Amino acid sequence: MRDAEQTRQKILDMSADEIHKHGFTATSLSSILKRCKVSKGALYHHFPNKMELGYAVFEEIYTPMFLAMWKPAVEVDDPIEGLCQFFKLMSTESSCEEIVCGCPLNNLCQEMSAIDEGFRLRILNMQQQLNQLIAINLQRVSAQLRPDIDFTQVAYFIVASFHGSSSLSKSSQNKDLFTKVINELCQYLENLRNN
Amino acid sequence: MRDAEQTRQKILDMSADEIHKHGFTATSLSSILKRCKVSKGALYHHFPNKMELGYAVFEEIYTPMFLAMWKPAVEVDDPIEGLCQFFKLMSTESSCEEIVCGCPLNNLCQEMSAIDEGFRLRILNMQQQLNQLIAINLQRVSAQLRPDIDFTQVAYFIVASFHGSSSLSKSSQNKDLFTKVINELCQYLENLRNN
DNA sequence: TTTACAACCGACCCCTTGGTCGGTTACAAT
DNA sequence: ATTGTAACCGACCAAGGGGTCGGTTGTAAA
């Protein structure tokens, strides 16, 4: 057979990129098709409709990529330092275009959660996973932290601030803002320690 | 004449609401027209095209509303307390639907800044205004604050976190998350004081 | 009363979109 | 060599988008 899995993957990858750049609704199937050099028939052979294609991108591309990013940052000996390094690495290593496009997953969440139930549930699930990941690992080193910490709350705050900084730099199309806000986020993190 | 200004305003108001709910691109002129009970001719009499209508909503509705919200919160005797109260009021007083729709201005920024230069410039301008507003008022009470504070950076962080919390609750469609993150943001603010 | 024009109307246009469907092609199994 | 079928093709479709334009209506000024 012609390599079906490869075709599927190509569609998925290109879709992920197009959706990152233009958003889900604004991404047209024809633009994906053109980039893949694949026919519409092929696309609809692998995915029943656009929405399901979106779900697949969310589940098979964005979510794994996202968790693979956060996991090592937080499962390290000192998660506070791990997070700071992760954030700073992101602000130095990422290209300007990447930063300015925003976090692909966050973008998709913003756009789709209110519109489509299928997306909403997937998002909710992933959010809880991420929150637990962070909260548990902070709790693990709670001896080094201030006594009054609500771990779940702090975990949500970290994610919110990170996405906020990504959003800010996206809406101003200016990477420097990202760095600035990340700096302050790191200071907040350091302040969680008891001293 | 039939009250032209009133017609224009009605179009603007309804557009603002539709755009808040569905985003700029996803908002169709026909849906606005239907709600206003105004003809397409009337709309195109007052606005040259959809983009300009968007600009008008941004400038005449969102921006003033936005600044009117933040200004009093920060120009009060104690801006730290002012901000905390503002945030908490927002989390208690706002309806669930409102919260879950996200900040209208932030939504529009996310959606349009990368796509359209006209929006980008307006957004940039407004962002700087807001940042200065906050930074100046924090600096005003710098005697009460920690000595190591970078006011611009902190101001951006506050806005980013606020929008982040709004985004988080939007993407999970859950108001409680908003309250949680706002709580942590207030704690961060209190921590800016020197003690 | 006439006139001039801003304000408004809505049928129409073209374009793009997601989605369909009858047909073709490559390959594995028999 | 034959056959069955997964994989793929692309012309076609209806719906909805933004935008146009010739025409009508209300009203203030002359």
Side-chain angles (χ1 to χ4, degrees):
Chain A
M1 286 284 145
R2 292 151 279 182
D3 194 336
E5 196 45 49
Q6 186 184 305
T7 305
R8 200 188 116 96
Q9 200 57 44
K10 194 160 56 173
I11 294 174
L12 232 35
D13 289 340
M14 292 298 176
S15 301
D17 191 55
E18 286 288 307
I19 291 171
H20 183 198
K21 283 188 186 142
H22 309 121
F24 180 76
T25 311
T27 294
S28 70
L29 297 183
S30 52
S31 72
I32 296 170
L33 265 23
K34 201 180 290 175
R35 283 192 56 188
C36 290
K37 282 168 195 162
V38 156
S39 73
K40 189 165 272 192
L43 193 152
Y44 274 89
H45 177 74
H46 289 284
F47 305 94
N49 52 45
K50 194 190 178 188
M51 212 50 119
E52 291 290 337
L53 171 60
Y55 295 162
V57 168
F58 186 93
E59 285 175 340
E60 297 177 40
I61 310 270
Y62 288 166
T63 302
M65 184 201 288
F66 196 68
L67 290 176
M69 272 167 46
W70 283 82
K71 229 174 174 226
V74 94
E75 284 183 342
V76 88
D77 271 1
D78 182 349
I80 300 279
E81 199 194 321
L83 282 169
C84 285
Q85 279 181 4
F86 164 53
F87 292 146
K88 295 207 161 150
L89 200 78
M90 178 141 275
S91 104
T92 54
E93 293 302 306
S94 296
S95 72
C96 195
E97 297 93 54
E98 260 178 313
I99 293 286
V100 138
C101 270
C103 165
L105 205 128
N106 186 37
N107 289 350
L108 196 54
C109 293
Q110 293 306 304
E111 186 186 353
M112 298 309 294
S113 62
I115 298 176
D116 180 77
E117 185 75 3
F119 268 113
R120 215 203 82 226
L121 293 172
R122 284 167 175 84
I123 287 161
L124 206 64
N125 179 275
M126 199 223 52
Q127 235 171 43
Q128 280 163 357
Q129 263 183 270
L130 178 63
N131 188 72
Q132 272 203 11
L133 182 72
I134 298 174
I136 284 175
N137 279 286
L138 287 178
Q139 197 151 29
R140 182 168 53 85
V141 297
S142 57
Q144 303 166 35
L145 305 180
R146 280 177 1 218
D148 60 325
I149 287 181
D150 175 337
F151 295 100
T152 307
Q153 183 170 301
V154 166
Y156 277 126
F157 184 71
I158 292 170
V159 177
S161 298
F162 174 72
H163 283 159
S165 69
S166 153
S167 299
L168 202 64
S169 67
K170 182 184 173 194
S171 60
S172 62
Q173 296 282 296
N174 175 356
K175 186 184 165 184
D176 292 350
L177 269 187
F178 183 72
T179 310
K180 249 196 164 64
V181 180
I182 286 299
N183 274 340
E184 190 63 27
L185 176 55
C186 289
Q187 249 179 273
Y188 161 81
L189 284 170
E190 286 298 341
N191 251 307
L192 289 175
R193 302 194 133 99
N194 57 359
N195 29 11
Chain B
M1 286 283 141
R2 293 151 278 184
D3 194 339
E5 196 46 49
Q6 187 185 305
T7 305
R8 201 187 116 96
Q9 199 59 44
K10 194 160 58 175
I11 294 174
L12 234 34
D13 290 340
M14 291 301 175
S15 300
D17 191 55
E18 285 289 306
I19 291 172
H20 183 199
K21 282 188 186 142
H22 309 120
F24 180 76
T25 311
T27 294
S28 70
L29 297 183
S30 52
S31 72
I32 295 171
L33 265 24
K34 201 181 289 174
R35 282 192 56 187
C36 291
K37 282 168 195 160
V38 155
S39 73
K40 190 166 271 194
L43 193 153
Y44 274 89
H45 177 74
H46 289 284
F47 305 95
N49 52 47
K50 193 189 179 189
M51 213 46 121
E52 292 289 337
L53 171 61
Y55 295 162
V57 168
F58 185 92
E59 287 176 338
E60 298 176 38
I61 310 272
Y62 288 165
T63 301
M65 183 201 287
F66 196 67
L67 290 176
M69 271 167 47
W70 282 82
K71 233 176 171 224
V74 94
E75 283 182 341
V76 89
D77 271 359
D78 182 350
I80 300 282
E81 201 195 319
L83 283 168
C84 284
Q85 280 182 3
F86 165 51
F87 292 145
K88 294 206 161 149
L89 199 79
M90 177 142 273
S91 104
T92 54
E93 293 301 307
S94 296
S95 73
C96 195
E97 297 97 50
E98 261 178 310
I99 294 287
V100 138
C101 270
C103 165
L105 206 128
N106 187 37
N107 290 350
L108 196 53
C109 293
Q110 293 306 304
E111 185 186 356
M112 298 309 294
S113 62
I115 298 176
D116 180 77
E117 185 74 1
F119 267 114
R120 214 203 85 226
L121 293 172
R122 284 166 174 83
I123 287 161
L124 206 63
N125 179 276
M126 199 224 52
Q127 234 171 44
Q128 280 164 357
Q129 264 182 269
L130 178 63
N131 189 71
Q132 272 205 11
L133 182 73
I134 298 175
I136 284 176
N137 279 286
L138 286 178
Q139 198 153 27
R140 182 168 55 85
V141 297
S142 58
Q144 303 166 35
L145 304 180
R146 276 171 11 212
D148 61 323
I149 287 180
D150 175 339
F151 294 100
T152 308
Q153 183 169 300
V154 166
Y156 277 125
F157 183 71
I158 292 170
V159 177
S161 298
F162 174 72
H163 283 159
S165 68
S166 153
S167 299
L168 201 64
S169 66
K170 183 186 173 189
S171 59
S172 62
Q173 296 282 297
N174 175 357
K175 185 184 164 184
D176 292 350
L177 268 188
F178 182 73
T179 310
K180 251 198 165 61
V181 180
I182 286 299
N183 273 339
E184 191 63 24
L185 176 54
C186 289
Q187 247 178 276
Y188 160 80
L189 284 170
E190 287 297 342
N191 251 306
L192 290 175
R193 303 192 132 100
N194 56 1
N195 27 12

